[in-house]
Amino acid sequence: MKIYIDGKFCDEKNAKISVFDHGLLYGDGIFEGIRAYNGRVFRLKEHIDRLFYSAKAIMLNMPLTHEEFMKATVETCRRNNLKDGYIRLLVTRGVGTLGLNPNKCKKSSVIIIADKIQLYPQEFYEKGLTIITVPTTRNLHSALNPAIKSLNYLNNILAKIEANNGGCEEAIMLNSEGYVAECTGDNIFLVKGRQLLTPPLSAGALYGITRKVAMDIAREMGFEVLEPNLTRYDVFNADECFLTGTGAEVVPVVKVDGRVIGSGIPGPVTLEVVTRYLQLVHASGEPIFPAKKGKR
Ligand code: PXG
């Protein structure tokens, strides 16, 4: 595998960064998780836009332009001959001193890894997930805003540990007021009648790119899409529940904190969103390989 580090492609075994990089020392950096399907990078522009918003929020100087990030991402896929896979793009604060002052870091670093994707087992999509609510609440937006996709993911990792301890793959995280925020690495949706509900971003959720796509799909299906504050009560009494994320795509949830959701099997609305999502990801995106001449 060839890894992009600051403009150069390195073999995996030589792909190394300094132990003085503040990304490592303090989790001082940002990232994106992006998917490629069928030789195209899905929603690349949106991911790069979000990367720039994260950079702005943490006052990280970006060493590349939007265009250059997009080119470097596509090029990393091409060098690895990746048609379908998962791309991890990181920007760290760069090499500094042992003090936490970011001003000591002269230049931020860019790392792009284009790898095969570890898919969730097919069973999760067919039978639906059982999830729980975990005790660790989502970060306060006044402390570390969950909209920032930072390299400091301990809040989510603590919740993931609690999910795993409870025998689950994913978990609902509440915010400090007790409203549903999101899951550890996915946004959450409820179907109630002809409405699709998802927590507002102010409840403490990432501005999920899959979230946005799911909302657009639901509107196309004739659903009213709302973003009210949601409680666990709303989740328990929903007709259907599903999660969205670049990695997980759209996954049905059939049980939450011991309560069966709807009929206890993935519902028709969820399945339709899954179908439309998969059609979209396979038919759109930034091409990785140049089109062959004469063949269209
Ligand atoms: N919320 C959080 C906290 C996330 O990290 C999402 C929602 C979904 O956003 P997108 O834009 O992907 O629809 C994410 C992103 C993993 C993993 O290994 C998952 C994410 C990021 C990095 C790793 O499960 N999900």
Side-chain angles (χ1 to χ4, degrees):
M1 196 195 315
K2 294 279 185 200
I3 319 270
Y4 174 103
I5 305 183
D6 296 330
K8 296 200 182 78
F9 286 93
C10 317
D11 285 329
E12 198 177 324
K13 65 178 194 325
N14 297 322
K16 293 178 181 157
I17 61 155
S18 166
V19 292
F20 291 96
D21 191 306
H22 280 207
L24 175 68
L25 289 175
Y26 299 111
D28 186 356
I30 54 177
F31 78 103
E32 281 297 320
I34 311 169
R35 286 272 293 257
Y37 295 90
N38 201 20
R40 291 158 172 232
V41 184
F42 187 62
R43 292 289 193 266
L44 178 58
K45 184 182 177 301
E46 287 80 351
H47 281 284
I48 302 300
D49 283 347
R50 188 170 65 184
L51 185 75
F52 271 83
Y53 295 139
S54 294
K56 178 93 172 251
I58 71 161
M59 296 191 87
L60 181 74
N61 287 326
M62 291 292 249
L64 304 176
T65 62
H66 276 77
E67 289 271 284
E68 288 166 341
F69 268 110
M70 292 188 44
K71 269 198 175 154
T73 307
V74 168
E75 179 65 17
T76 308
C77 294
R78 195 180 304 134
R79 294 266 183 139
N80 288 285
N81 200 24
L82 195 80
K83 265 188 78 194
D84 294 272
Y86 187 76
I87 303 148
R88 176 59 56 90
L89 197 174
L90 294 74
V91 188
T92 72
R93 188 78 66 180
V95 175
T97 62
L98 287 181
L100 57 84
N101 187 356
N103 295 334
K104 294 276 161 50
C105 305
K106 291 285 169 276
K107 196 175 177 303
S108 50
S109 267
V110 179
I111 300 167
I112 310 174
I113 308 166
D115 201 357
K116 293 270 175 296
I117 180 112
Q118 291 269 323
L119 294 172
Y120 263 171
Q122 190 55 29
E123 193 189 329
F124 291 1
Y125 298 90
E126 283 163 11
K127 295 193 179 147
L129 285 181
T130 292
I131 63 173
I132 51 173
T133 309
V134 288
T136 295
T137 56
R138 195 76 179 95
N139 282 331
L140 279 173
H141 57 76
S142 54
L144 177 55
N145 197 320
I148 303 169
K149 208 161 161 60
S150 88
L151 289 182
N152 193 323
Y153 248 51
L154 266 182
N155 183 225
N156 311 60
I157 291 166
L158 290 175
K160 188 82 164 183
I161 290 169
E162 290 160 355
N164 293 341
N165 287 347
C168 295
E169 291 291 326
E170 252 300 4
I172 293 179
M173 298 182 78
L174 305 177
N175 64 22
S176 55
E177 289 181 278
Y179 292 112
V180 175
E182 59 175 343
C183 291
T184 71
D186 298 296
N187 292 107
I188 185 164
F189 283 88
L190 305 178
V191 177
K192 188 78 178 169
R194 296 298 292 170
Q195 293 182 331
L196 184 74
L197 311 172
T198 192
L201 297 169
S202 58
L206 184 75
Y207 291 32
I209 285 160
T210 321
R211 176 184 185 273
K212 168 83 167 47
V213 175
M215 290 164 90
D216 291 344
I217 289 174
R219 282 191 204 98
E220 272 170 31
M221 287 165 62
F223 279 78
E224 187 183 11
V225 180
L226 300 173
E227 299 171 68
N229 268 325
L230 295 169
T231 63
R232 290 168 69 229
Y233 170 92
D234 299 315
V235 179
F236 301 153
N237 291 298
D239 301 335
E240 301 181 26
C241 175
F242 62 84
L243 311 182
T244 64
T246 298
E249 302 173 322
V250 179
V251 208
V253 171
V254 293
K255 207 179 210 187
V256 179
D257 297 333
R259 280 79 159 181
V260 171
I261 307 302
S263 55
I265 55 166
V269 179
T270 304
L271 295 177
E272 180 66 20
V273 175
V274 171
T275 304
R276 290 181 186 228
Y277 185 76
L278 294 180
Q279 277 168 1
L280 189 67
V281 295
H282 285 96
S284 60
E286 198 66 29
I288 296 171
F289 305 99
K292 289 206 179 74
K293 281 202 187 105
K295 271 194 187 172
R296 297 208 84 207

